[in-house]
Amino acid sequence: MTEQAAQIQTDALAAIDAASHEAALEEARVKFLGKKSPLNALAAEMRNLPNEDKPKLGAALNMARQAISNALETSKQKLQDAADATSVEGLDVTMPPRELPSGSLHPLTIVKDRAIQILRRLGFALADGPEIETEFHCFDALNTPFDHPARNDSDTFYFDSGKLLRTHTSSVQVRTMEKQAPPIKIIAPGSAYRRDEIDATHLSVFNQLEGLYVDSDVRLSDLKGTLEFFYRAMFGDKTEVRFRPHFFPFTEPSFEIDVKLQVRGEEPKWIEVAGCGMVDPAVFSAINESRGDDAFDPSKLTGYAFGMGLDRLAMIQYGIRDIRLLIENDTRFLSQFA
Ligand code: DAH
């Protein structure tokens, strides 16, 4: 019977060796280790043996079982390794991966961040104010009389409450002076709204950056130096900057600023980029009245202010000819700034 066990073991190992796929291996396992296996049949006959022969057969049966299950395990592993090897055949693990699409900053954000960075170096702090404004903050406190064209229904978005969407970021000048004492040196980037006909250079929502500096001895030459520095940092050291007399209700004197720039493929020309001027004493008086004190005494303080279009800046910087591209979210356009 011990020889029988050895024979079964030999048969089993041959069957396992011949199994070329997993199903055949499973078949061999069921046949040689399952309930109806010849080893089990042999074990059932053990009780007919004399007691002294039982241990020998027991040992032979155990050995056979162990050998078969080891062989099954080894063969299974071999088949698995072979399958793994074919599945990665032709795979070049040194090949660079396909690039994942990644987002990028909007050109307006890039230009706004640069403008802020430059002005921070000159000591300006960031300030903010609401986009839904009162007429007082947007117009009255800025010396803009009731009959000024900017206040027309056809120019401004009014709410029934009498509030409006701010037509410029200059309202942040008022908001800041109401809460802070001089000296004040702030910039306020943000959206502004006008009932403009939409075309290649106009949107009804656009972006500005306002600046305000109020102290005891702020001069026009400070304004000029600051803005020249700014536009040269923005567009290059040699950029020419021109101050053209203009009128704004909240500054006196007032100027429009042009920079001479070469738009790609064109002759250099003067392009208007901002408005500015020395804060009108009437603005200080309106602030004092609103604060109920004399913190902005027009006889002791002077200041300058400026406001520039950020969309315009981005268009100049990148040679964008249609402002609508800035709001259309077309990734073919936006991905160029990645
Ligand atoms: N608020 C003006 C506009 O929207 C721009 C401007 C002009 C702002 C002169 C100023 C300034 O602060 O002093 O057209």
Side-chain angles (χ1 to χ4, degrees), residues 170-224:
S170 302
S171 53
V172 184
Q173 290 187 29
V174 180
R175 293 267 168 199
T176 309
M177 286 189 280
E178 277 180 334
K179 334 185 267 265
Q180 293 176 29
I184 283 175
K185 196 170 186 183
I186 54 110
I187 46 173
S191 299
Y193 303 81
R194 282 180 207 172
R195 277 189 197 270
D196 272 335
E197 204 65 56
I198 293 173
D199 61 25
T201 53
H202 294 88
L203 290 172
S204 47
V205 189
F206 56 103
N207 297 276
Q208 291 189 326
L209 185 143
E210 190 77 16
L212 173 70
Y213 180 28
V214 179
D215 206 341
S216 51
D217 192 19
V218 181
R219 301 165 187 223
L220 182 55
S221 52
D222 297 320
L223 169 62
K224 194 156 180 277

Side-chain angles (χ1 to χ4, degrees), residues 30-87:
V30 172
K31 183 167 171 197
F32 291 103
L33 291 183
K35 263 198 199 136
K36 295 182 183 154
S37 69
L39 287 178
N40 276 356
L42 213 53
E45 284 177 40
M46 186 125 75
R47 64 190 139 93
N48 303 327
L49 284 184
N51 273 348
E52 63 269 26
D53 290 342
K54 282 181 184 170
K56 219 171 135 202
L57 180 60
L61 286 174
N62 279 343
M63 226 172 70
R65 277 205 191 93
Q66 195 57 54
I68 294 169
S69 96
N70 286 348
L72 278 169
E73 199 46 53
T74 312
S75 278
K76 195 170 164 193
Q77 190 59 50
K78 255 195 230 155
L79 284 177
Q80 188 61 52
D81 289 350
D84 287 351
T86 43
S87 75

Side-chain angles (χ1 to χ4, degrees), residues 328-336:
E328 278 167 358
N329 283 337
D330 185 335
T331 52
R332 289 170 304 179
F333 168 73
L334 295 174
S335 62
Q336 296 174 52

Side-chain angles (χ1 to χ4, degrees), residues 105-112 199-203 235 261-266 269 271 310-330 332-337:
L105 291 179
H106 191 280
L108 249 179
T109 307
I110 299 173
V111 165
K112 180 178 77 179
D199 61 25
T201 53
H202 294 88
L203 290 172
F235 296 123
L261 290 168
Q262 175 146 30
V263 179
R264 239 163 274 180
E266 286 176 21
K269 61 174 183 214
I271 301 174
L310 287 175
D311 311 81
R312 171 70 67 92
L313 227 50
M315 290 172 78
I316 295 171
Q317 181 86 62
Y318 295 115
I320 299 166
R321 282 163 197 275
D322 193 323
I323 194 171
R324 289 168 288 200
L325 283 165
L326 295 176
I327 57 161
E328 278 167 358
N329 283 337
D330 185 335
R332 289 170 304 179
F333 168 73
L334 295 174
S335 62
Q336 296 174 52
F337 303 93

